[in-house]
Amino acid sequence: MPTSPLSLRALALLSCLVTGLATGLLGLPAGALAADPVYPPGSRFGFEPAKEMVVSRRFTGFERQGGGATVSVVELPPQAYKDLTANFTDENLKSQGLVVKSRETLKLADGREGLLFTGEQPIEQPAGAPALHKWVFLVSDPTVTGIIIGQTLPAAESDEAMRTMLTSVRVRPALTLDQQVAALPFRITEAAGFRPVRVLGGNSVLYTDGPKDQMMNLEQPILVLAEAVQPAPPAEQRDAFAKAALYSNQTMKDFAIERSQSFRQNGADWHEIVARAVDVPSGTPVVVSQTIRFQPDGYFRAVGVVRAQDREAVLPRFRKVVDSVAF
């Protein structure tokens, strides 16, 4: 799907804001790439991880086992590279918290082009607290653009180790949709007539029922399944947590909750909401089904949206898919 320059800027700057930034110069000799890169599930970008870095379950990328260092990956369309390199100015990056120390255009050993920024991000802590060391590496490929963001506390990983990891990047061929679904941290064992359309971030998938992959005005029902590794709230806060998650969807308004309940199923705590709402872009009345499964190390969330007149036929199918999910 074409992406406008504005949306590319917004996504890139958002990525920087969320994970932190940096800029730097360096050369990469031919043959420096790792023989066996490690690819996060569903990602096209692989690396030779630094010694203490492992694939993250919280985001697409890697994190240090003892904490203090991360490398995250955002994948964008191939045409994004030109727009990003033009808009990643020192001033723009500084407005997102990255103080750029250096930048360098690199020719990788496989012929791909990259633009590496290194710098620091001050931490809002008592005076004298060390700044985060940051790297932002834009990687160009004919089929994909990568934004690779590294950050570390000074004592966690050395700058040399982080730089070596970032510049070991390899880009593999595009995965099929089936391969991306298979790489998710959960399995859907009953699709109930729905089909996958897109996998996002390596931890979420969009399903629909109908011939269109891009849906306007909710012509087709949609179901999004996602796993989060953020800590789950305590039992007494879960109803409020679930409602806040429902209301956070900016594409719908005028929510009217019909049912909100917690229950126990298959040894896990669940919460389910069924609500009426209005689709903002089209003004269409819809019904929303949100189901959350709370786990010791996070939670799983499923959100289904269907036109109000189709609720009786579709809501039971949403639930059938959710009940089939295996972890």
Side-chain angles (χ1 to χ4, degrees):
M1 179 174 63
T3 308
S4 69
L6 179 60
S7 63
L8 290 176
R9 290 190 203 102
L11 179 54
L13 293 177
L14 176 61
S15 300
C16 296
L17 180 62
V18 171
T19 53
L21 300 178
T23 47
L25 313 175
L26 51 100
L28 182 65
L33 293 174
D36 296 305
V38 177
Y39 293 87
S43 176
R44 295 186 58 191
F45 291 83
F47 303 83
E48 179 184 5
K51 184 177 180 181
E52 298 295 328
M53 303 286 276
V54 297
V55 173
S56 175
R57 291 187 61 228
R58 300 185 300 120
F59 55 86
T60 301
F62 300 80
E63 56 187 327
R64 188 173 183 269
Q65 291 177 302
T70 62
V71 171
S72 60
V73 181
V74 178
E75 297 182 17
L76 296 174
Q79 65 269 24
Y81 185 79
K82 182 177 180 181
D83 188 76
L84 293 177
T85 54
N87 286 282
F88 267 31
T89 65
D90 289 359
E91 288 186 3
N92 283 344
L93 295 177
K94 186 176 182 179
S95 71
Q96 302 300 318
L98 171 66
V99 179
V100 175
K101 300 298 183 182
S102 58
R103 67 170 63 203
E104 183 179 7
T105 299
L106 305 178
K107 275 291 186 183
L108 305 182
D110 57 6
R112 293 183 176 88
E113 180 178 320
L115 179 62
L116 180 68
F117 302 83
T118 62
E120 294 182 341
Q121 178 176 322
I123 303 176
E124 293 183 3
Q125 290 183 357
L132 286 173
H133 291 202
K134 294 286 208 167
W135 295 260
V136 175
F137 193 19
L138 305 179
V139 177
S140 175
D141 179 88
T143 61
V144 67
T145 293
I147 307 177
I148 302 160
I149 303 167
Q151 61 180 12
T152 179
L153 292 171
E157 290 285 353
S158 70
D159 287 358
E160 180 181 0
M162 291 291 287
R163 181 168 135 173
T164 298
M165 177 177 175
L166 294 175
T167 55
S168 72
V169 62
R170 294 268 189 95
V171 184
R172 63 181 172 181
L175 303 181
T176 67
L177 184 57
D178 286 344
Q179 289 173 324
Q180 294 177 61
V181 171
L184 289 167
F186 52 87
R187 291 185 298 111
I188 297 94
T189 60
E190 173 54 71
F194 294 99
R195 63 179 180 86
V197 175
R198 186 175 298 111
V199 172
L200 305 170
N203 67 344
S204 60
V205 59
L206 169 66
Y207 276 80
T208 190
D209 180 12
K212 295 183 178 180
D213 288 347
Q214 298 184 28
M215 290 144 279
M216 302 296 293
N217 303 327
L218 283 174
E219 305 103 322
Q220 300 170 186
I222 59 173
L223 176 63
V224 178
L225 310 168
E227 182 180 78
V229 189
Q230 289 81 9
E236 66 274 12
Q237 297 178 12
R238 289 175 181 173
D239 184 72
F241 173 85
K243 290 175 180 175
L246 178 72
Y247 297 150
S248 68
N249 192 319
Q250 300 299 307
T251 66
M252 290 179 283
K253 65 178 183 179
D254 300 339
F255 287 94
I257 293 178
E258 297 181 350
R259 174 165 53 85
S260 179
Q261 64 183 42
S262 298
F263 58 96
R264 185 92 176 158
Q265 178 175 289
N266 297 329
D269 294 325
W270 297 73
H271 189 283
E272 187 170 75
I273 291 177
V274 175
R276 300 186 308 277
V278 174
D279 177 58
V280 172
S282 65
T284 303
V286 298
V287 174
V288 186
S289 172
Q290 174 185 271
T291 308
I292 300 176
R293 181 186 190 271
F294 296 101
Q295 303 165 165
D297 58 350
Y299 58 91
F300 169 82
R301 181 172 176 239
V303 179
V305 185
V306 61
R307 288 188 172 193
Q309 66 264 31
D310 298 324
R311 64 177 295 166
E312 297 301 326
V314 176
L315 288 185
R317 295 170 57 203
F318 284 163
R319 185 57 188 271
K320 191 172 184 179
V321 175
V322 173
D323 286 345
S324 82
V325 175
F327 299 88

